[in-house]
Amino acid sequence: MDAADFSAVLSEVRRFVRERVVPLEAEIDEKDEMPADIREAAKKMGLFGFALPEEYGGLGLSMYEEAQLMFELGYTTPSLRSMFGTNNGIAGHVLMVGGTEEQKAEWLPKIASGEVLASFALTEPDAGSDPSTLTTRAHLDDGGTSRSSAAESGGEWVINGAKRYITNAPLADVFMVFARTDPDAPRTRGISTFLVPAGTPGLTVAPKDHKMGQFGAWTADVYFDDVRVPATALVGGVAGLNRGFSTAMGCIAHGRVHISALMVGMAERLVDESVAYASTRKQSGKLIGSFQLVQGLIADSQTDYYAGRATVLEAARAFDAGTDTKVGPSCTKYFASEMVWRVADRAVQVHGGAGYMRGVAVERFYRDARLFRIYEGTSQIQQVIIAKALLGEAARG
């Protein structure tokens, strides 16, 4: 995008976030719902497709540009980003990475406009940090023909299984479902991805989860009981058969940089909240900001924020260049998630007893921040990915 146009987009999003969404944060948290007018405004601004290609109606932002946009979106409740994050991220990228030209043409314009809300159905009750162990199955009802010819001429796939903690599931129009299509293949090689529209017979969405935080962003379990989809629902067509795991990993790597930038935006907000409170709250007749131990908390948080921002931008540059699409995303996700948790904890400490009260922004962000150390791969999984990559490189000499 032209630099001047991108600057205008950032300015518009910043105004939208700070003038329209921030004042509604407490209401969103209390009602566990995103206001309809905010959803419509996000659609008009192109936020449902900022990371999708321009040819399909998106803004076509690079990862570096996307990171800067996420800094702005992260300044408010993360449920705002969650509303359109899967369209731009892990769900929309399924089609970008692995879809056929026909699938892209049919679905991406609807996803980019917000006409269609997409969900990424990978996690299962017993397959979270290691999705290669998923047990949802899909078999081809081929009418006695070969697998490949049935896939090309109109056979149906039958899906059975269950997914857990699926973002936007109660609202989704289509699910990107990962299922095992070759039970005899090695764990990472027998998985495929399917486009399953909401309302397909046999697909059931459970009541939304009641979470610790991030209210306004809904998750739920999803069940598949002999769900039948046409051969054309196989993402990537015949060429996509048993390639779902690599598709998922490519989407998740992008998502890790994306979500890391969101955490940096949240850290900036937490620092601002801490500074504002320390500049007005008095103790013993003095502003608490005059106490050096409080100053130390604020200084540490600003330093964490500064380091997190630099880390994300460097990871985004490398991702765009294609020089690091695995270790960098894991490094930045690991650092940013631990960083924002430290900053949130210090913000509550600066606020003292007020920081523990519902209705105070830092209390809400404290609850919201905890999830970041878990989803998109736990901190411990990121450690394993980083260490294995480096040790493998060393072993190869």
Side-chain angles (χ1 to χ4, degrees):
M1 181 178 290
D2 177 82
D5 290 340
F6 181 61
S7 178
V9 168
L10 287 182
S11 295
E12 183 181 3
V13 171
R14 172 175 282 221
R15 283 194 301 271
F16 173 65
V17 165
R18 302 192 183 206
E19 296 176 9
R20 293 194 58 183
V21 185
V22 168
L24 296 174
E25 288 173 346
E27 177 186 333
I28 293 167
D29 186 66
E30 181 181 355
K31 293 182 177 180
D32 189 19
E33 187 174 4
M34 185 62 60
D37 63 324
I38 295 298
R39 185 178 298 275
E40 290 305 311
K43 289 180 182 179
K44 291 178 181 178
M45 294 171 68
L47 292 179
F48 279 79
F50 58 75
L52 302 181
E54 289 181 88
E55 62 187 292
Y56 298 111
L59 297 183
L61 299 186
S62 67
M63 189 74 257
Y64 188 77
E65 291 168 332
E66 184 178 339
Q68 294 174 73
L69 182 66
M70 295 308 297
F71 292 159
E72 300 299 334
L73 293 168
Y75 198 81
T76 188
T77 169
S79 61
L80 175 69
R81 192 277 333 173
S82 187
M83 179 172 62
F84 43 73
T86 51
N87 275 31
N88 286 285
I90 50 182
H93 270 69
V94 164
L95 294 176
M96 287 175 58
V97 171
T100 65
E101 289 306 315
E102 293 77 13
Q103 289 168 340
K104 293 176 184 178
E106 179 182 359
W107 288 101
L108 284 179
K110 298 174 186 177
I111 291 172
S113 69
E115 177 186 346
V116 162
L117 188 62
S119 273
F120 184 82
L122 176 65
T123 300
E124 296 184 1
D126 294 316
S129 294
D130 183 5
S132 69
T133 62
L134 65 83
T135 59
T136 294
R137 298 289 183 92
H139 72 270
L140 189 63
D141 187 353
D142 58 11
T145 62
S146 69
R147 173 175 296 232
S148 61
S149 63
E152 292 171 347
S153 63
E156 287 186 321
W157 288 95
V158 185
I159 305 171
N160 285 280
K163 300 295 180 177
R164 175 153 290 178
Y165 311 138
I166 304 305
T167 300
N168 288 330
L171 302 170
D173 298 295
V174 66
F175 296 85
M176 308 296 174
V177 181
F178 292 80
R180 192 166 299 284
T181 43
D182 187 349
D184 298 322
R187 292 190 317 185
T188 62
R189 297 180 186 175
I191 297 170
S192 303
T193 317
F194 298 89
L195 282 154
V196 183
T200 301
L203 187 159
T204 305
V205 178
K208 65 181 180 181
D209 300 316
H210 187 62
K211 310 185 303 298
M212 175 191 292
Q214 300 208 10
F215 290 110
W218 294 353
T219 64
D221 290 359
V222 184
Y223 304 105
F224 302 87
D225 184 10
D226 285 339
V227 173
R228 289 180 171 267
V229 292
T232 54
L234 176 62
V235 173
V238 175
L241 186 64
N242 298 327
R243 298 186 63 181
F245 186 82
S246 60
T247 296
M249 293 304 99
C251 298
I252 288 172
H254 169 272
R256 285 172 179 158
V257 182
H258 169 104
I259 207 73
S260 297
L262 180 81
M263 296 180 236
V264 170
M266 182 183 286
E268 180 184 12
R269 173 69 180 282
L270 286 161
V271 170
D272 286 352
E273 293 287 340
S274 298
V275 170
Y277 190 78
S279 299
T280 56
R281 174 76 166 104
K282 289 186 176 182
Q283 188 64 251
S284 302
K286 298 180 180 179
L287 292 173
I288 64 170
S290 67
F291 301 142
Q292 288 184 330
L293 292 179
V294 173
Q295 293 172 5
L297 294 171
I298 292 173
D300 286 348
S301 289
Q302 174 66 9
T303 302
D304 261 342
Y305 157 69
Y306 193 79
R309 194 175 193 280
T311 300
V312 168
L313 290 176
E314 178 57 30
R317 286 192 189 97
F319 193 92
D320 282 336
T323 56
D324 188 352
T325 58
K326 183 177 181 179
V327 176
S330 283
C331 285
T332 193
K333 199 277 175 178
Y334 175 42
F335 181 81
S337 60
E338 297 293 328
M339 175 275 293
V340 77
W341 178 244
R342 293 191 298 268
V343 174
D345 185 67
R346 293 190 199 106
V348 171
Q349 197 71 11
V350 168
H351 282 69
Y356 200 67
M357 297 295 112
R358 288 294 178 104
V360 176
V362 298
E363 182 273 338
R364 183 181 65 252
F365 282 120
Y366 183 86
R367 287 184 282 111
D368 292 343
R370 185 61 183 87
L371 182 59
F372 292 132
R373 297 169 67 203
I374 299 173
Y375 75 172
E376 300 284 351
T378 66
S379 292
Q380 288 65 44
I381 288 297
Q382 306 311 325
Q383 290 174 310
V384 170
I385 292 171
I386 296 163
K388 280 187 173 181
L390 296 180
L391 291 169
E393 184 178 339
R396 291 189 294 271

